[in-house]
Amino acid sequence: MLGLVQNETMKLLRRRRFLVVVLILAILIPIFTYAQYRSVITAQERMGTSDWRPLLTQQIVDMQNRLASSRLPDEWRDFIKVRIQQQQYYLDHDINPMAPGGPTFARGFMDQAVSMFLPMIIVVLAVDLVSAEFSEGTIKLLLTRPVRRWKVLTSKYITLLLFTSLTVLMTLLLAYVMSGVVFGYSGWTLPILTGFEVTGGELETSGAFMVPQWQFLLLQYGLGWFVCVVVGTVTFMVSVLVRSAAAGMGIMMAALISGTILTQMASSWESSKYLFVVNLQLTDYLNGTLPPIKGMTLPFSLTVLTIWAVAALIVAYTVFTRRDVTS
C-alpha cells in the first residue's frame, strides 16, 4: 500500500496541482491582507481614533440602523439581531474581538474561506485523481495490474487526505506569516469567546467561555480540515463517476456556488439543511453566528457531512471495483 501511495503522490505532484494551490494561496492571501489593512485604516480615519471601543460601538449603531429598514428580509433581520447581541457582549466585557495580529487574521481568513474558497481549492486537487486515468489512457494499465482495485482506489484516497491536510496547514502558515508583516505576529494568547448558542433567534451567552486564540485556531482549522475532507471525498466520487476532469470541475463548482446561494435564500426551505453544501460553514458555530436554517447545530452539521462523505465513498468504491474498462 505504501508503494501505491508513493506512486499516486508522484502523479499528483507531476500534474502540478498542489503547486497551483500554493501559488493561489501565496497570491490571494496578501491581497486579502491589504484589503483588511485598508478596512482598518478607513474605519480609524472615519472615527478619528484607533481605539477599538468606539469602532465597535459604531458597528453596533450601524447594524441597529439597518434593522430600521422595512425592506430587510426576516432572515437577515434575525442575523443582525444576534450579531448586535454578540458585539455588545464583547463591548460589555472589554474584549477586542479583532485585535490586530497574524493569528487574528488567520482566524478571520478561515471564517471567510471555509465555505467556498478552501473547498474550491480542494476540488482542484481531487477532481482528476481518477478521471485523469481515463483522459491519459492509463486506466486499463492501472486496473490490469496484479493489485486489487480497492487498494488502488484506497491509495488515491489516502493521497488526497495527505494533500488536503497539507493544504489546510499551508493556509494557516501563509495567512499567519504574510499577514504578520502588516499586523505583527503577536496575539496567540488573546482571549477569544466561544460557546455561544442561538436559541429561537436569540443569542444565549450563559455557556460562553474564553480560550486562548491558539486553542480557538486549533478548533477552527480542525473544523475547516473536516469540511475540506468532506468536499474532497465528494469530489473524489465525482472523479470516479465522470471520466472528464472538466465535467467534474463543473459539477463541483456548480454545487459549491449553489450552496452559497442556498444559505442566503433558502431559510424557509428546511429540507435544504440536509444538503452537504449548506453545512460547510462549521466555524460559524464557534462564533455564535445564526445558522442559515433554524434548528441547525454543530452536531447536526457534522452528522450530515459525515453521512455524505460515507455515502460518497460507498458509491466510489462500488463503481470503481465493478467498472468495465475493456470498452
Side-chain angles (χ1 to χ4, degrees):
M1 182 63 72
L2 180 60
L4 290 173
V5 173
Q6 290 176 340
N7 183 50
E8 294 300 328
T9 299
M10 294 305 298
K11 285 182 183 179
L12 195 149
L13 291 175
R14 280 199 301 269
R15 295 186 190 117
R16 299 183 179 179
R17 291 300 178 93
F18 186 67
L19 177 60
V20 171
V21 166
V22 174
L23 287 176
I24 290 174
L25 291 172
I27 292 172
L28 291 183
I29 287 178
I31 295 176
F32 296 148
T33 299
Y34 179 74
Q36 180 69 27
Y37 171 75
R38 290 305 310 169
S39 176
V40 172
I41 294 300
T42 300
Q44 291 177 354
E45 290 176 348
R46 186 177 54 152
M47 296 297 299
T49 178
S50 59
D51 188 356
W52 63 271
R53 295 171 187 82
L55 295 175
L56 191 60
T57 301
Q58 185 60 48
Q59 289 180 13
I60 294 173
V61 172
D62 291 341
M63 287 187 289
Q64 288 174 337
N65 291 336
R66 290 186 63 188
L67 285 177
S69 174
S70 59
R71 298 181 179 180
L72 192 67
D74 290 339
E75 57 270 21
W76 279 102
R77 191 178 301 278
D78 292 339
F79 173 82
I80 293 175
K81 286 180 179 179
V82 171
R83 188 64 177 167
I84 290 174
Q85 293 174 1
Q86 188 180 49
Q87 297 294 67
Q88 188 63 52
Y89 188 90
Y90 279 117
L91 193 62
D92 293 343
H93 290 77
D94 198 31
I95 297 174
N96 182 2
M98 291 302 294
T104 302
F105 177 86
R107 172 165 59 91
F109 183 77
M110 175 55 78
D111 280 335
Q112 301 300 320
V114 69
S115 65
M116 177 63 75
F117 180 67
L118 277 180
M120 282 188 172
I121 285 181
I122 298 303
V123 168
V124 172
L125 282 176
V127 72
D128 66 345
L129 277 177
V130 179
S131 59
E133 303 289 353
F134 289 96
S135 60
E136 296 172 2
T138 57
I139 187 65
K140 291 183 181 180
L141 178 62
L142 179 68
L143 296 185
T144 54
R145 295 172 61 185
V147 180
R148 292 185 177 275
R149 289 190 179 190
W150 69 266
K151 287 187 176 182
V152 173
L153 195 63
T154 299
S155 67
K156 290 180 176 293
Y157 188 64
I158 291 175
T159 302
L160 172 61
L161 294 180
L162 291 175
F163 277 91
T164 296
S165 302
L166 190 56
T167 298
V168 175
L169 180 61
M170 287 295 296
T171 300
L172 173 59
L173 291 177
L174 289 175
Y176 172 66
V177 172
M178 291 182 171
S179 66
V181 175
V182 177
F183 299 115
Y185 296 101
S186 61
W188 288 104
T189 58
L190 177 75
I192 304 297
L193 276 170
T194 188
F196 295 107
E197 294 183 5
V198 179
T199 306
E202 296 292 329
L203 186 69
E204 177 59 52
T205 60
S206 60
F209 59 94
M210 288 189 295
V211 297
Q213 185 156 234
W214 67 268
Q215 290 186 11
F216 189 91
L217 282 171
L218 286 178
L219 290 172
Q220 187 188 47
Y221 275 77
L223 292 176
W225 174 85
F226 182 74
V227 167
C228 290
V229 168
V230 172
V231 172
T233 303
V234 175
T235 308
F236 187 69
M237 176 194 69
V238 172
S239 182
V240 172
L241 298 177
V242 180
R243 299 191 179 193
S244 168
M249 181 74 74
I251 291 171
M252 290 306 302
M253 290 301 179
L256 293 175
I257 293 172
S258 64
T260 301
I261 296 173
L262 281 173
T263 57
Q264 303 295 330
M265 301 177 60
S267 59
S268 59
W269 180 27
E270 292 193 7
S271 298
S272 65
K273 66 184 179 182
Y274 297 106
L275 301 174
F276 83 93
V277 290
V278 179
N279 290 272
L280 298 182
Q281 197 71 36
L282 293 183
T283 59
D284 279 355
Y285 294 111
L286 297 179
N287 301 320
T289 303
L290 190 71
I293 300 174
K294 290 183 179 180
M296 292 178 62
T297 62
L298 179 58
F300 173 84
S301 292
L302 289 173
T303 301
V304 170
L305 292 176
T306 300
I307 292 173
W308 272 89
V310 171
L313 282 177
I314 292 174
V315 172
Y317 273 88
T318 300
V319 172
F320 190 79
T321 54
R322 297 181 180 180
R323 169 166 281 165
D324 180 10
V325 296
T326 58
S327 57

